[in-house]
Amino acid sequence: AAGVIQSPRHLIKEKRETATLKCYPIPRHDTVYWYQQGPGQDPQFLISFYEKMQSDKGSIPDRFSAQQFSDYHSELNMSSLELGDSALYFCASSQPGTGERGQFFGPGTRLTVL
Amino acid sequence: DAKTTQPNSMESNEEEPVHLPCNHSTISGTDYIHWYRQLPSQGPEYVIHGLTSNVNNRMASLAIAEDRKSSTLILHRATLRDAAVYYCILGYSTLTFGKGTMLLVSP
């Protein structure tokens, strides 16, 4: 079965640079969620999109922005990167109108900021 | 957000059943009870969810107390591949991960 695809899988950036993470949801899933997991920490919700509109917002820094495109893929844009942004970034998707039925997570993008 | 309380860690032997408890005394009437698990270096994985009634699927069973203030995730026969951090999460769609229970499985 198709899963959530994230790219790139690994990314190394310098401080103050920008980064773009991409997420391709499972086919026919219309909701996308972004989570950040720092070293030794639990995943933290950043932002979600339903039918290309922002549906919920968590602890996403102002330096970060995200959007969902017409093909339902999503991109997380991160600017003025800081050392503390080094983390695993997970994208998840869920089926239409069934947010309670489970989110399916991708393998994550490991971002390292030097 | 309603809070959940889980043991920091639990141990089990392979092939034995595992009961992972979760307390959620401030749960609201519309909160679903979700369980996810995260294996090392992987993304979280959906396990099961329920609202009021007990639920079974191929991975696990979810037993929900009548007053909904607690629930138990049941793995019927633990395997080494079940070693993970198990998260009990309340809500509808957006997931707020707490500390979770680290399940250790011994051969």
Side-chain angles (χ1 to χ4, degrees):
Chain A
V4 174
I5 297 172
Q6 292 188 245
S7 69
R9 293 293 309 279
H10 301 272
L11 190 59
I12 299 175
K13 291 286 185 179
E14 300 278 343
K15 277 193 331 183
R16 293 180 288 279
E17 286 191 322
T18 62
T20 297
L21 309 186
K22 296 184 179 182
C23 170
Y24 298 87
I26 292 172
R28 291 179 296 281
H29 282 198
D30 63 355
T31 305
V32 169
Y33 311 80
W34 286 96
Y35 294 84
Q36 177 192 57
Q37 186 171 26
Q41 300 190 355
D42 303 296
Q44 298 297 312
F45 170 70
L46 293 178
I47 196 167
S48 62
F49 291 87
Y50 166 68
E51 282 291 342
K52 292 153 280 185
M53 299 288 291
Q54 181 182 307
S55 56
D56 203 357
K57 193 172 183 179
S59 50
I60 185 169
D62 292 340
R63 299 177 289 107
F64 294 5
S65 65
Q67 58 182 321
Q68 186 179 31
F69 295 85
S70 58
D71 64 352
Y72 296 106
H73 94 271
S74 178
E75 295 184 3
L76 177 66
N77 298 294
M78 310 160 71
S79 63
S80 303
L81 286 169
E82 302 173 357
L83 296 178
D85 296 329
S86 295
L88 267 169
Y89 290 83
F90 292 107
C91 169
S93 70
S94 65
Q95 297 176 13
T98 58
E100 82 283 4
R101 290 190 196 175
Q103 296 178 23
F104 296 86
F105 283 76
T109 293
R110 183 174 295 280
L111 172 66
T112 302
V113 181
L114 302 176
Chain B
D1 290 338
K3 300 297 183 190
T4 61
T5 303
Q6 299 178 251
N8 289 333
S9 65
M10 291 185 65
E11 295 186 27
S12 175
N13 294 317
E14 215 176 357
E15 305 292 316
E16 291 184 353
V18 181
H19 291 231
L20 297 166
C22 181
N23 289 320
H24 30 79
S25 59
T26 60
I27 189 171
S28 74
T30 57
D31 280 336
Y32 281 81
I33 302 163
H34 307 263
W35 283 84
Y36 283 76
R37 71 181 185 181
Q38 187 173 24
L39 280 67
S41 302
Q42 295 188 25
E45 177 185 25
Y46 168 80
V47 178
I48 201 167
H49 81 281
L51 185 61
T52 56
S53 304
N54 295 342
V55 184
N56 299 296
N57 67 20
R58 65 175 180 80
M59 289 181 69
S61 295
L62 176 60
I64 301 173
E66 197 168 334
D67 63 6
R68 299 210 327 127
K69 293 185 177 182
S70 65
S71 60
T72 302
L73 178 70
I74 303 165
L75 306 180
H76 296 285
R77 289 179 66 193
T79 70
L80 296 178
R81 289 180 296 175
D82 290 324
V85 178
Y86 286 78
Y87 295 97
C88 168
I89 302 169
L90 304 182
Y92 179 71
S93 59
T94 298
L95 302 176
T96 301
F97 288 81
K99 285 301 173 189
T101 297
M102 179 174 290
L103 176 63
L104 305 170
V105 181
S106 301

